Amino acid sequence: MSYKQFLETGKIVATHGIAGEVRIQPWCDEAEFLTEFDALYFDAAGKTQRTVERARVHKNVVVVKFKGVDSVEEAQSLRNQIVYIDREELELPEGTYFIQDLIGLEVLDADDPQTVYGTLCEVSQPGANDVYHIRRPDGTENLIPAIPDVVVQTDLDGNRMFIRPLKGLFDDED
């Protein structure tokens, strides 16, 4: 599986104050995550890099001051810009994945790998745990909780996820 090196992590939605700061709406689990980077990128190829002078969380957005952006007018020119991070600048804990890497995985039965449930097409985050949306071959969708009792193994290199569904998750299988 080929991974995207530069990952979308938010969008500049507004300016903040008059000193060139911008507000970034984070597209990650925790807004604080975006404050950890020394640089953010403005394209998926990583060609347009901006050095972060400082960053902090303020009311569920991340307020960032980029080096060389010193006025509200310069900050305004960055509005609606998507920001990216370089995946090589961080290390995820074991068993943690980027949502973009999970989308498209083939979902198989952990006990009978010949049984294909479908393709992971979406991840929703309603609360205590993520929910994986599995698109069946007939186009219908099933939802499974992303918990260790259900998700047995995630094999990004093999483009597969092995699950042990709870009773009732795939009613037509019983």
Side-chain angles (χ1 to χ4, degrees):
M1 176 177 201
S2 65
Y3 303 106
K4 292 181 185 177
Q5 181 176 350
F6 295 92
L7 305 170
E8 297 176 5
T9 54
K11 181 179 182 179
I12 298 174
V13 294
T15 60
H16 184 85
I18 60 169
E21 292 180 313
V22 295
R23 291 173 174 251
I24 298 176
Q25 181 65 56
W27 295 344
C28 42
D29 291 344
E30 302 286 334
E32 290 83 11
F33 176 75
L34 275 182
T35 66
E36 299 173 16
F37 295 89
D38 295 330
L40 295 174
Y41 301 84
F42 286 2
D43 63 281
K47 293 180 179 167
T48 309
Q49 177 182 340
R50 290 281 184 147
T51 301
V52 175
E53 281 187 15
R54 63 182 176 270
R56 68 185 187 284
V57 176
H58 178 72
K59 297 182 181 179
N60 296 326
V61 298
V62 181
V63 176
V64 174
K65 169 66 173 79
F66 290 109
K67 185 175 183 178
V69 178
D70 300 313
S71 70
V72 69
E73 293 80 16
E74 290 171 315
Q76 181 64 28
S77 72
L78 300 176
R79 198 159 175 250
N80 295 320
Q81 178 70 51
I82 305 298
V83 295
Y84 299 79
I85 60 167
D86 184 345
R87 87 164 51 234
E88 292 181 6
E89 293 178 12
L90 66 128
E91 191 171 317
L92 290 178
E94 182 72 29
T96 304
Y97 306 96
F98 290 110
I99 290 173
Q100 326 184 26
D101 293 340
L102 296 174
I103 302 297
L105 292 181
E106 183 177 40
V107 181
L108 309 168
D109 190 282
D111 300 314
D112 176 18
Q114 301 303 313
T115 301
V116 178
Y117 292 112
T119 303
L120 197 153
C121 62
E122 184 179 340
V123 176
S124 54
Q125 300 172 306
N129 55 269
D130 291 353
V131 174
Y132 294 160
H133 299 239
I134 310 302
R135 181 165 293 124
R136 306 294 304 270
D138 66 5
T140 61
E141 280 188 23
N142 289 83
L143 306 179
I144 65 166
I147 58 174
D149 287 349
V150 175
V151 179
V152 176
Q153 180 188 4
T154 302
D155 176 10
L156 294 182
D157 292 328
N159 201 39
R160 302 174 300 189
M161 177 180 286
F162 296 93
I163 67 169
R164 191 170 286 125
L166 299 172
K167 187 164 179 57
L169 285 178
F170 295 91
D171 287 333
D172 58 324
E173 299 294 323
D174 294 329

